[in-house]
Amino acid sequence: MTKRKKKRRTGRQQPSPHIVKANRLFVGSTTPRPKVPQWRFILASFGMSALCIGMTLTLWIPGRSKLNDLRDHGVTATATVIGVDSKPKYVKVRFANGTLTGREVELGEYAGMLPDMHVGESLFVTYDPNDPSRSLAHRWVVDPPVNLPAWGTSALAVFFLTGAVAVILRRRLLLTHSPPPEPA
């Protein structure tokens, strides 16, 4: 047989079972306050949102200003593709008519994209008469492709901003409607 361990005397009287039960009911009815979101998390969310907004503007403004300039002051001419990189990193064209006949330029990119072209194809190119290196395929000037990087970063900005506002509202709710923390 195993020996029973003797209970140590603590010098205090043990509460009766009905008091222990009442204490358990009372403690179960009041839950401790959940952890309050910290300000550094909120500031980090606002910072990420501001960073994404800055990236969105960086990706959006140059392409849009180039499109608007070419729509307002651009000249459209026919060109023939004379060189395409396989990546494509560049599309080189030679103008077939207009004031720049015979001149070779690389098409500009829009939203990090270049048109899918092959050597020998002809296309309409809209260019800036003061700076022919600012040129785009005419179909992109009329109907530009979707700027996915800008849309993606703007969606991230909305996500982080919404998260920061939700955490601020939760923090305010917890601080105003929950009991104060118990002293340690």
Side-chain angles (χ1 to χ4, degrees), residues 126-137:
T126 303
Y127 64 92
D128 185 356
N130 299 326
D131 183 13
S133 64
R134 290 180 48 124
S135 59
L136 280 176

Side-chain angles (χ1 to χ4, degrees), residues 2 9 29 36-38 56 58 66 106 111 116 139 142 157 174:
T2 61
R9 298 222 179 241
S29 67
V36 177
Q38 296 184 359
T56 299
T58 301
K66 184 177 188 178
E106 288 185 9
D116 187 24
R139 67 176 184 247
V142 174
L174 288 175

Side-chain angles (χ1 to χ4, degrees), residues 33-75:
R33 177 174 23 189
K35 189 174 181 181
V36 177
Q38 296 184 359
W39 279 108
R40 64 180 172 198
F41 179 76
I42 295 169
L43 291 176
S45 295
F46 275 122
M48 290 298 291
S49 176
L51 178 71
C52 289
I53 289 171
M55 288 173 55
T56 299
L57 293 176
T58 301
L59 292 169
W60 207 291
I61 290 175
R64 287 315 256 171
S65 66
K66 184 177 188 178
L67 278 177
N68 290 336
D69 288 348
L70 290 176
R71 284 178 183 160
D72 293 341
H73 309 293
V75 176

